[in-house]
Amino acid sequence: MRTTSSKNGTRRATRTAAALLAGALALALSGCGGDDNKSDGGGSSESSSGLKLPSLSGQTLEVAAVWTGAEQDNFMKVMDEFKKRTGAKVNFVPTGNNTSTFLGTKIQGGKPPDVAFLPQVGVLHQFADKGWLKPLGADAKAQLTKNFSKGWVDLGAWKGTQYGVYAKAANKSLVWYNTNAFDAAGISAVPKTWKDFLSTAQTLSDAGSPAVSIGGADGWTLTDWFENVYLSQAGPDKYDQLAAHKIKWTDPSVKEALTTLAQLWGKNDLIAGGNKGALNTEFPKSVTQTFSGDTPAGMVFEGDFVAANINGDTKAKLGTDAKVFPFPAVGSESPVVSGGDVAVALKDSKGAQALLTFLASTDAAEVWAAQGGILSPNKEMDQSKYKDAITKQIAQQLIAAGDNFRFDMSDQAPAAFGGTAGVGEWKDLQDFLRNPKDVAGTQQKLEADAAKAYGSG
């Protein structure tokens, strides 16, 4: 399976990316205030980039993606600009967390959306093998080649054919914290190591704050927890091997990572609502219960997209009430795990290709970035368009790090293992959150499900 880093990537490259991220966050937090670069999201009727799109007046396109709430609203601002440029109407269809199942049913029923965003690169591979994806047209490929690094271009290709555009990326190695909770607990420095992280959580709990908010009802958040611990602890080579199922989930390195996770997940008093509460908490709520309410949690782990939920669903202000630090180093270095959503055409139509061309352009990236809560891998876009200083700095370092991030492991797996609610890795880690003492049993279930999904057993 592909990752954003080359197979020749080294621990040194990952270390460099982690150092860049840590520096970026320090700069962002020291420079944050109320001087955000705002945009009305409408864009301009004339493209300074020279992008030309066809007239699609009278046409209606259907776009499917997993986003809801603030993320969906922000994306529709981008679609408003596309409508302004082309005259096409765009209808958004939420896929739910089972994106591959939802889209597979639509495709087999003869009613696929024009364009879909796939949150797992493994699904792109599967759909391409089934002949469900339409190759990128010349105009879209030209924008892609112009605006994206080779690593992101290659991620949207499969077996020599370019299918997708990674218009939305994520840095999934961030911990967001409530500054008031930290101040009330007398915490003056953010944790840099896993040991310090656990100590900080205990200090928050002792001071009366729920320490860590976990969105365990969404299994994908738990895979992100595992991947960050595993990458930092086991290293990039092992990470790549486990991502490709070249080593088994019964490997001692997995045991070590799960045992490390259990140091937090096994402390019911450190988790907002306890383990049971976490398993009933969806991702958006994990953010809102950290930055709103009478007794907010102190910390919540997840990607840069948390900013969209903070901005859209709470009154907290980024850089003042809500700040962020890199995922703590479990091993010698902090991890840097990246993810993304790849836009693909499911219909061979002029409208679908025009939309992919637009999504690969700097124009679309800049409109989207102005809404907040998004990173773009588009290296040619105007970075000043980002809504807030934190996101801008994280995005700049994503670009500067090139292809040295490790791509989300579960997103590289077949959807049956790494991308489907209620089964595979999502369920196995939810069961582990329910009973963090069962390390061996969790390993056995993970390996059985992985072997079945990868077709190796």
Side-chain angles (χ1 to χ4, degrees):
M1 297 289 178
R2 278 183 172 79
T3 65
T4 55
S5 53
S6 68
K7 292 185 179 180
N8 295 322
T10 62
R11 181 181 292 273
R12 184 163 62 96
T14 303
R15 181 185 301 123
T16 300
L20 286 168
L21 174 62
L25 296 182
L27 286 171
L29 295 180
S30 65
C32 258
D35 190 24
D36 292 343
N37 190 336
K38 306 278 185 180
S39 169
D40 63 7
S44 170
S45 59
E46 295 184 5
S47 173
S48 60
S49 70
L51 176 69
K52 295 181 180 179
L53 297 172
S55 172
L56 301 172
S57 181
Q59 296 187 34
T60 299
L61 302 180
E62 188 172 87
V63 178
V66 70
W67 312 311
T68 59
E71 283 190 295
Q72 179 182 331
D73 293 342
N74 291 345
F75 173 69
M76 290 311 295
K77 296 288 181 63
V78 185
M79 294 300 93
D80 288 344
E81 179 65 14
F82 180 73
K83 178 181 178 180
K84 182 178 178 181
R85 302 279 187 94
T86 65
K89 179 181 178 182
V90 177
N91 291 334
F92 182 87
V93 180
T95 65
N97 282 330
N98 293 333
T99 302
S100 62
T101 301
F102 175 88
L103 292 174
T105 300
K106 296 275 283 185
I107 293 167
Q108 290 174 324
K111 296 182 178 180
D114 295 88
V115 170
F117 282 83
L118 308 179
Q120 293 96 19
V121 68
V123 175
L124 182 146
H125 299 167
Q126 291 176 330
F127 280 20
D129 284 340
K130 291 180 178 180
W132 289 351
L133 304 183
K134 308 305 178 185
L136 229 57
D139 290 342
K141 284 198 287 188
Q143 288 292 321
L144 190 66
T145 302
K146 174 185 174 184
N147 298 324
F148 292 78
S149 69
K150 186 177 184 298
W152 288 103
V153 173
D154 289 349
L155 269 173
W158 183 236
K159 296 181 179 178
T161 300
Q162 192 72 44
Y163 291 105
V165 175
Y166 270 89
K168 185 175 187 288
N171 185 308
K172 293 190 170 187
S173 298
L174 303 171
V175 179
W176 301 79
Y177 66 101
N178 185 314
T179 57
N180 291 329
F182 268 50
D183 290 344
I187 301 169
S188 58
V190 298
K192 295 182 179 180
T193 68
W194 182 254
K195 181 180 178 180
D196 291 343
F197 180 75
L198 295 176
S199 177
T200 298
Q202 189 64 59
T203 300
L204 285 164
S205 181
D206 292 344
S209 293
V212 183
S213 179
I214 300 176
D218 290 321
W220 59 267
T221 67
L222 305 184
T223 70
D224 290 346
W225 273 102
F226 173 82
E227 288 157 10
N228 276 274
V229 169
Y230 189 82
L231 176 57
S232 182
Q233 193 170 62
D237 291 340
K238 280 278 192 180
Y239 185 96
D240 291 344
Q241 292 172 33
L242 187 61
H245 201 222
K246 291 182 178 178
I247 58 174
K248 295 184 177 182
W249 285 80
T250 49
D251 190 84
S253 62
V254 177
K255 177 182 179 180
E256 187 178 14
L258 291 174
T259 301
T260 299
L261 268 179
Q263 293 172 355
L264 173 65
W265 292 6
K267 294 285 187 69
N268 195 66
D269 59 320
L270 298 185
I271 300 173
N275 297 67
K276 184 177 180 180
L279 285 164
N280 290 319
T281 299
E282 295 179 340
F283 161 69
K285 184 182 176 183
S286 73
V287 178
T288 56
Q289 70 183 13
T290 306
F291 298 104
S292 61
D294 295 332
T295 55
M299 299 181 285
V300 60
F301 153 72
E302 253 313 333
D304 54 273
F305 43 84
V306 165
N309 296 84
I310 295 173
N311 285 329
D313 302 329
T314 79
K315 295 181 179 179
K317 186 173 182 180
L318 288 171
T320 303
D321 308 309
K323 293 187 178 181
V324 62
F325 59 86
F327 195 93
V330 184
S332 60
E333 304 294 336
S334 288
V336 184
V337 177
S338 179
D341 297 273
V342 58
V344 296
L346 300 179
K347 286 184 180 178
D348 192 8
S349 67
K350 181 179 179 181
Q353 290 296 333
L355 182 52
L356 291 176
T357 300
F358 181 60
L359 291 168
S361 72
T362 56
D363 296 11
E366 289 165 6
V367 173
W368 209 344
Q371 310 312 314
I374 177 184
L375 295 185
S376 173
N378 191 312
K379 62 185 176 64
E380 299 299 325
M381 67 168 284
D382 181 355
Q383 300 289 318
S384 71
K385 297 297 184 180
Y386 278 101
K387 184 174 183 178
D388 61 84
I390 289 179
T391 307
K392 176 184 174 182
Q393 292 289 344
I394 296 172
Q396 287 176 332
Q397 298 311 313
L398 175 68
I399 299 299
D403 302 329
N404 290 330
F405 288 94
R406 283 308 193 264
F407 200 79
D408 185 299
M409 186 188 296
S410 63
D411 287 352
Q412 298 180 57
F417 179 66
T420 305
V423 299
E425 188 181 2
W426 290 20
K427 183 181 185 300
D428 295 340
L429 290 179
Q430 286 174 322
D431 289 344
F432 182 61
L433 177 59
R434 188 174 290 108
N435 180 19
K437 294 181 179 180
D438 190 16
V439 172
T442 300
Q443 283 187 269
Q444 291 168 1
K445 286 191 291 184
L446 284 163
E447 175 54 30
D449 289 337
K452 182 179 179 181
Y454 282 87
S456 58

